[in-house]
Amino acid sequence: MVGDVLNLLMFATVCGVLLAGFPVAFSLAGTALAFALAGAALGVFDLSFLGGIPSRYFGIMVNELLVAVPLFVFMGVVLERSKIAEQLLHTMGLLFGRMRGGLGLSVIFVGMFLAAATGIVGATVVTMGLLSLPVMLKAGYDPKLACGTICASGTLGQIIPPSIVLILLGDVLQGANTQAQLALGNFAPEPVSIVDLFAGAFLPGLMLVALYMVWQVIMAAVRPDSSPALVGAGEERVPDLGKRVVRVLLPPAALIVAVLGSIVAGIATPTESAAVGAVGAMALAAANGRLTLDVLRNVMRTTMRISSMVFVILLGASVFSLVFRGLGGDELVAGFLRELPGGPFAAMVVVMAVMFLLGFFLDFIQIIFVVVPVVGPALIMMGLDPVWLGVMIGINLQTSFLTPPFGFALFYLRSVAPASIATADIYRGVVPFVVIQILALAVLAAFPALATWLPDRLF
């Protein structure tokens, strides 16, 4: 009983410390060590558990799958700095410019493309906000629709492979699945790989893109003034537009197909494919004349900063989960979820609701490293498919990025939006897309095969 109380207090304390703005990694590790000492003093925690910290740290540092994180970050930052997004947006805007809502469709398409190329939500939202928001406003788009479209498209990097979220989530779920299977007496569990999660997220990601585009078309039909055509009917067509589309679209598309295709086809591991993507992104930047020494130096600094943040948080979260387990937290969570009326479905709904609310205040990295190791084994032990669970968590985290008033994507766009755009416009603009996200979650919950069919067929 005392251990359960300490676990609840530890979780509440770490959330409070994080909200107060303290560094994430040190907050996780420091809070856990403080409660470990308190538990030892009360006789409910064995300090020998802390002897597992060095082996955990060593396991993290030699995990080859996690090498994909800095490589994919490097790939995304290079593509961001090489102005490929700007070229794509302008070209696609010309391609769809004669139809109402065409520019909005172009923004969604480019957002999907950047999601597959970068996998970094903040970079995508800021880039799309700087490039497309002034163009949409100048074309006469409703500010609310423009802001909502940009925020929603920018968060596609959470769910469309190769996503940093899916890489980290896949690694955590792999451990959660192994722990759950061993607890069930299965000593030769079938592994859950990042490749499985990439394949599982592919169809749900495309479904989200399609739903976004359907909403844009509906708005163009119901409220034509909200999304006018970019090019007037009497204006001349752009010469050689088809050749321009091929020239701008083909190189980055080939890079994305090479990266994802090699992973899904089993030709290369995610880490090897990430290395191919990093080299390919440098080649594209060089072809565009953007790969200068200053740009490369800036890219490397940004990559180091993001990657260091991820790994230091992972180390701190490892200490937190170890102490949580030492205080009996895994049994507490498993027992609570098992006793909920409604079985696995009710347990899943409760976990999704908690993650959604935590997404208002905590970054996705913190949620993945702190919450998923706690609830993942319990849910998998209740019979839930780990790939489906991972995709549901990914879409849920993406939804929390969009939801007012604390959605991170809203803050990213606010930081680059002109003063003429009110914060209320951004909030109201994302509401329809939050509804679309919830609809997508409901569809995926009703039809798990959307996430499990492709991995089963491929592997």
Side-chain angles (χ1 to χ4, degrees):
M1 183 65 183
V2 176
D4 295 344
V5 172
L6 285 178
N7 263 318
L8 294 175
L9 285 175
M10 182 172 70
F11 196 84
T13 300
V14 80
C15 289
V17 170
L18 291 175
L19 289 175
F22 287 92
V24 178
F26 305 121
S27 299
L28 292 172
T31 302
L33 290 175
F35 274 86
L37 294 176
L42 295 172
V44 294
F45 183 81
D46 186 355
L47 288 178
S48 63
F49 266 91
L50 299 181
I53 292 178
S55 61
R56 283 184 168 228
Y57 279 12
F58 183 76
I60 291 170
M61 301 314 296
V62 299
N63 189 342
E64 289 188 10
L65 288 175
L66 293 178
V67 179
V69 173
L71 290 172
F72 275 128
V73 171
F74 181 88
M75 170 184 166
V77 177
V78 169
L79 291 176
E80 179 195 349
R81 300 289 195 273
S82 62
K83 305 296 182 183
I84 289 176
E86 185 175 350
Q87 296 175 2
L88 275 173
L89 183 64
H90 187 254
T91 303
M92 298 307 296
L94 293 174
L95 183 63
F96 292 110
R98 292 181 177 273
M99 63 179 291
R100 286 197 301 268
L103 184 56
L105 293 176
S106 302
V107 169
I108 295 171
F109 179 84
V110 175
M112 175 190 70
F113 216 91
L114 284 180
T118 66
I120 307 171
V121 170
T124 306
V125 173
V126 169
T127 301
M128 296 295 290
L130 290 171
L131 296 179
S132 59
L133 186 55
V135 178
M136 296 180 82
L137 296 177
K138 185 178 179 180
Y141 270 66
D142 185 311
K144 296 187 291 296
L145 179 61
C147 292
T149 302
I150 292 170
C151 285
S153 303
T155 58
L156 287 170
Q158 291 277 71
I159 194 63
I160 293 182
S163 162
I164 302 299
V165 174
L166 295 179
I167 294 173
L168 299 176
L169 196 54
D171 186 67
V172 172
L173 279 176
Q174 189 174 30
N177 181 63
T178 301
Q179 181 184 341
Q181 297 302 326
L182 291 177
L184 292 172
N186 179 9
F187 296 101
E190 188 173 334
V192 178
S193 68
I194 295 174
V195 180
D196 293 323
L197 212 53
F198 277 8
F202 188 72
L203 291 180
L206 292 182
M207 177 182 69
L208 271 178
V209 173
L211 290 174
Y212 290 171
M213 289 185 168
V214 167
W215 175 249
Q216 181 65 62
V217 171
I218 290 173
M219 288 297 293
V222 175
R223 290 180 50 206
D225 59 321
S226 68
S227 46
L230 182 62
V231 181
E235 296 185 31
E236 294 184 3
R237 292 184 178 274
V238 178
D240 296 328
L241 180 57
K243 293 181 180 179
R244 179 173 177 174
V245 170
V246 172
R247 186 175 67 252
V248 171
L249 186 61
L250 191 58
L255 176 62
I256 292 171
V257 169
V259 171
L260 291 182
S262 60
I263 295 175
V264 174
I267 299 173
T269 66
T271 302
E272 293 165 345
S273 296
V276 171
V279 174
M282 292 176 64
L284 290 182
N288 284 350
R290 302 283 182 179
L291 192 64
T292 64
L293 187 59
D294 288 338
V295 169
L296 188 58
R297 189 180 294 116
N298 183 267
V299 167
M300 294 176 71
R301 283 201 192 101
T302 303
T303 302
M304 180 64 72
R305 184 168 60 250
I306 295 175
S307 302
S308 300
M309 176 194 69
V310 171
F311 280 96
V312 172
I313 291 175
L314 177 54
L315 295 175
S318 180
V319 179
F320 184 88
S321 63
L322 181 67
V323 174
F324 187 86
R325 203 163 286 154
L327 288 170
D330 47 352
E331 290 90 353
L332 174 66
V333 171
F336 171 76
L337 293 177
R338 277 197 306 267
E339 292 171 7
L340 284 173
F345 179 79
M348 185 67 175
V349 170
V350 170
V351 169
M352 288 292 107
V354 170
M355 285 189 179
F356 179 79
L357 294 175
L358 288 176
F360 290 167
F361 311 104
L362 304 181
D363 188 73
F364 70 91
I365 298 174
Q366 301 163 28
I367 295 175
I368 289 174
F369 289 153
V370 175
V371 181
V372 177
V374 172
V375 301
L379 291 175
I380 295 172
M381 287 174 65
M382 298 176 77
L384 299 184
D385 185 279
V387 173
W388 174 76
L389 175 62
V391 178
M392 287 285 289
I393 292 173
I395 295 180
N396 192 11
L397 292 177
Q398 181 188 356
T399 306
S400 66
F401 256 78
L402 284 174
T403 307
F406 302 115
F408 283 91
L410 313 181
F411 296 149
Y412 292 143
L413 183 60
R414 175 70 277 175
S415 67
V416 297
S420 59
I421 297 292
T423 302
D425 289 335
I426 300 177
Y427 283 3
R428 285 197 293 265
V430 299
V431 169
F433 292 95
V434 172
V435 174
I436 290 174
Q437 293 282 139
I438 296 173
L439 174 62
L441 272 173
V443 171
L444 187 57
F447 303 100
L450 283 171
T452 59
W453 177 81
L454 188 57
D456 289 344
R457 295 287 292 180
L458 291 174
F459 311 118

